[in-house]
């Protein structure tokens, strides 16, 4: 289950009340037709709010439902994501008004390196090449597309549903009209992690009711799963060599391009194992140590206001038989990871997460692993914002590499 914004909840407005009412109507509907009626009302209300960029009203409704009606919360979250990552367009063609559907699609790239992972503008010719491969291997035949000429990090992506709505509209109009997309001149800086996600952002436009992707086409529907896997392989094979130009010195893995929010969530999950392997690789090479000379300390962390709930695991690294924490990575919890909200690894879901982390450490060559059974408050350094990690004694400490460590781009993921 997704969590709401943790910032203080705004005062409930009339717009928020309508969102709550319509979302509850969706959940309590006794027939499919009634459900569609409530969904239509909810979509219209959300469209008005998104056009006005009244994000506070959406957040207030979500926070209220998270406390009182989790089923309606999920219904509202699903609706607001759908409305901000898609839209409907109309264009007059030969004297006839033609309707189009548009979807904001993200192509996630998992990247890892000992140096730095680039982001920012994509050269015009390379953007055109990437767009050609995207269309040829992934899209249905009637689809049009427009790719943003920017390689995004997660910090540079839209931070609200309203911002995602604006991006969807801008790229969809460009796709429909067949005009180039201008780059974003005010792109935020991003921290250079050892392993991180990068994104290509694309708007796909099709005639109303037509398929967006190859595997949705009538001739592929009977074997859509195999067709989707084949499309991903072709996308990976043709695109990976081109990425070396904008991601020099990086290992990369391309995930299946999907609708904006699901693609971002899947990429966030998929980068976690890579972060562990990248950390061990960095430490062994930087410290000139074998992996079995590295110790890992795994602990669960959570917000003090949500007693018993683990929001993330933090993995601290030390040299074996040394108490100083040198480095750390954060393993955030998403979706089904944190359904139960329990603090200790006393049930299958929690044990599975801890076991997965420890298995990845062992596969990376780390044999000495300590697990803390207690839950720690999610504290950060007051000066630099770095997460604090639990050492072997259970004290929260700031990771510090030795003074003579060669300069590099390592940050805490």
């Amino acid at each position: 289950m997704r969590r709401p914004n943790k910032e203080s909840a705004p005062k409930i407005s009339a717009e928020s009340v309508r969102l709550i009412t319509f979302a509850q109507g969706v959940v309590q509907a006794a027939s499919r037709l009634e459900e569609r009626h409530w969904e239509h009302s909810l979509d219209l209300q959300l469209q008005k709010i998104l056009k006005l960029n009244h994000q506070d009203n959406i957040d207030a409704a979500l926070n209220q439902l998270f406390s009182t009606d989790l089923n309606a919360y999920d219904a509202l979250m699903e609706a607001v994501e759908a409305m901000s990552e898609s839209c409907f367009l109309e264009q007059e063609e030969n004297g006839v008004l033609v309707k189009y559907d548009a979807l904001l699609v993200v192509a996630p790239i998992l990247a890892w390196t000992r140096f730095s992972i680039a982001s920012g503008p994509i050269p015009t010719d390379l953007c055109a090449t990437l767009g050609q491969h995207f269309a040829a291997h992934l899209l249905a035949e009637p689809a049009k597309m427009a790719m943003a000429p920017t390689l995004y990090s997660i910090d540079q992506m839209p931070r609200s549903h309203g911002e995602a709505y604006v991006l969807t509209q801008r790229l969809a109009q460009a796709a429909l009209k067949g005009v180039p997309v201008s780059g974003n001149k005010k792109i935020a800086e991003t921290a250079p992690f050892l392993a991180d996600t990068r994104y290509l952002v694309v708007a796909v436009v099709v005639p109303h009711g037509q398929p967006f992707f190859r595997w949705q086409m009538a001739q592929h529907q009977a074997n859509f799963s195999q067709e989707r896997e084949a499309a991903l392989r072709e996308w990976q094979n043709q695109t990976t060599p081109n990425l070396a130009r904008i991601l020099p010195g990086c290992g990369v893995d391309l995930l299946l391009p999907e609708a904006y929010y699901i693609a971002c969530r899947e990429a966030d999950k998929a980068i976690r194992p890579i972060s562990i392997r990248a950390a061990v690789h960095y430490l062994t090479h930087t410290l000139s140590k074998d992996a079995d000379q590295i110790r890992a300390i795994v602990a669960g962390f959570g917000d003090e206001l949500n007693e018993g709930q683990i929001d993330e695991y933090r993995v601290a690294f030390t040299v074996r038989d040394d108490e100083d924490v040198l480095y750390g990575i954060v393993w955030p919890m998403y979706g089904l990871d944190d359904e139960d909200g329990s603090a200790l690894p006393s049930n299958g879901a929690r044990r599975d997460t801890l076991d997965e982390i420890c298995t990845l450490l062992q596969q990376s060559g780390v044999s000495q692993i300590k697990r803390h059974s207690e839950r720690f408050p999610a504290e950060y350094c007051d000066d630099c914002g770095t997460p604090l990690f639990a050492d072997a004694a259970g004290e929260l400490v700031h990771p510090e590499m030795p003074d003579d460590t060669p300069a590099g781009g390592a940050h805490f993921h």
Side-chain angles (χ1 to χ4, degrees):
M1 179 167 51
R2 299 173 291 276
R3 292 180 184 154
N5 191 324
K6 291 185 178 180
E7 297 177 0
S8 58
K11 182 180 178 181
I12 294 293
S13 65
E15 288 181 326
S16 298
V17 171
R18 281 191 286 272
L19 291 179
I20 291 170
T21 299
F22 296 151
Q24 290 175 329
V26 171
V27 171
Q28 297 176 26
S31 67
R32 190 173 185 182
L33 288 176
E34 183 186 355
E35 182 179 353
R36 286 178 172 174
H37 169 81
W38 287 116
E39 288 176 342
H40 180 67
S41 298
L42 179 57
D43 289 349
L44 290 177
Q45 181 66 21
L46 282 169
Q47 191 171 40
K48 294 177 184 177
I49 293 174
L50 289 168
K51 281 184 176 180
L52 296 171
N53 196 24
H54 288 176
Q55 184 69 40
D56 287 350
N57 291 319
I58 295 173
D59 292 339
L62 287 168
N63 287 330
Q64 176 76 13
L65 288 174
F66 189 79
S67 302
T68 60
D69 190 338
L70 290 176
N71 290 329
Y73 168 83
D74 281 342
L76 177 55
M77 179 64 80
E78 181 179 352
V80 70
E81 289 185 354
M83 290 304 295
S84 58
E85 71 182 7
S86 63
C87 63
F88 304 98
L89 306 172
E90 293 181 337
Q91 178 173 270
E92 187 173 322
E93 300 175 6
N94 299 321
V96 178
L97 196 62
V98 180
K99 296 182 178 180
Y100 289 89
D101 302 331
L103 179 66
L104 189 65
V105 175
V106 168
I109 303 165
L110 309 181
W112 58 94
T113 184
R114 289 175 55 198
F115 307 103
S116 62
I117 303 172
S119 64
I122 301 173
T124 302
D125 62 325
L126 180 57
C127 191
T129 299
L130 295 173
Q132 289 168 2
H133 288 308
F134 191 95
H137 304 302
L138 297 166
L139 299 185
E141 291 179 2
K144 302 178 181 180
M145 59 155 287
M147 178 178 290
T150 303
L151 183 66
Y152 290 92
S153 73
I154 192 64
D155 297 328
Q156 298 161 342
M157 300 279 268
R159 294 180 175 272
S160 69
H161 299 108
E163 290 180 3
Y165 176 83
V166 170
L167 181 59
T168 300
Q169 295 283 334
R170 181 167 70 91
L171 292 182
Q173 289 289 346
L176 182 60
K177 297 175 182 177
V179 298
V181 180
S182 58
N184 189 347
K185 297 180 180 179
K186 297 180 179 180
I187 193 165
E189 294 292 328
T190 189
F193 297 112
L194 292 173
D196 206 359
T197 50
R198 292 293 182 265
Y199 303 91
L200 300 172
V201 181
V202 179
V204 181
V205 176
V206 298
H208 180 63
Q210 294 297 307
F212 286 95
F213 300 106
R214 287 182 57 83
W215 51 89
Q216 294 178 281
M217 297 173 67
Q219 63 267 39
H220 300 307
Q221 288 178 358
N223 299 293
F224 76 91
S225 182
Q226 295 92 322
E227 181 64 26
R228 184 167 53 190
E229 292 174 2
L232 173 59
R233 285 195 300 270
E234 285 302 310
W235 169 243
Q236 292 171 329
N237 292 339
Q238 299 299 324
T239 305
T240 299
N242 290 286
L243 292 176
R245 182 173 163 188
I246 52 175
L247 290 170
C250 294
V252 299
D253 186 19
L254 278 66
L255 302 185
L256 182 71
E258 296 184 277
Y260 179 82
Y261 291 100
I262 186 64
C264 290
R265 282 195 286 269
E266 290 304 310
D268 282 346
K269 294 177 185 178
I271 198 64
R272 298 180 301 185
I274 296 174
S275 297
I276 287 181
R277 292 192 288 266
V280 175
H281 181 78
Y282 165 73
L283 290 170
T284 55
H285 283 75
T286 302
L287 302 174
S288 298
K289 302 283 186 182
D290 293 332
D292 62 2
Q293 294 178 282
I294 304 295
R295 174 176 60 171
I297 303 163
V298 187
F301 287 75
D303 192 320
E304 290 182 301
L305 298 178
N306 296 319
E307 184 177 354
Q309 179 173 280
I310 290 181
D311 295 325
E312 62 193 25
Y313 284 96
R314 297 182 184 178
V315 183
F317 294 93
T318 74
V319 173
R320 196 162 183 162
D321 300 324
D322 193 335
E323 298 305 314
D324 293 337
V325 173
L326 304 177
Y327 190 75
I329 66 103
V330 176
W331 181 289
M333 304 291 284
Y334 298 108
L336 295 177
D337 289 334
D338 57 354
E339 281 291 342
D340 61 5
S342 63
L344 302 181
S346 57
N347 59 67
R350 286 299 180 186
R351 180 65 64 183
D352 286 348
T353 301
L354 281 170
D355 286 347
E356 182 180 0
I357 294 171
C358 292
T359 297
L360 287 164
L361 288 165
Q362 291 166 350
Q363 290 173 347
S364 299
V366 178
S367 56
Q368 185 173 341
I369 303 169
K370 177 177 178 58
R371 305 184 188 191
H372 282 297
S373 60
E374 64 181 295
R375 171 185 174 275
F376 295 87
E379 296 185 3
Y380 300 82
C381 174
D382 293 334
D383 295 327
C384 66
T386 293
L388 301 184
F389 292 81
D391 65 11
E395 298 292 329
L396 295 185
V397 298
H398 192 303
E400 295 287 349
M401 291 292 284
D403 292 337
D404 58 353
T405 301
H411 279 62
F412 304 97
H413 201 285

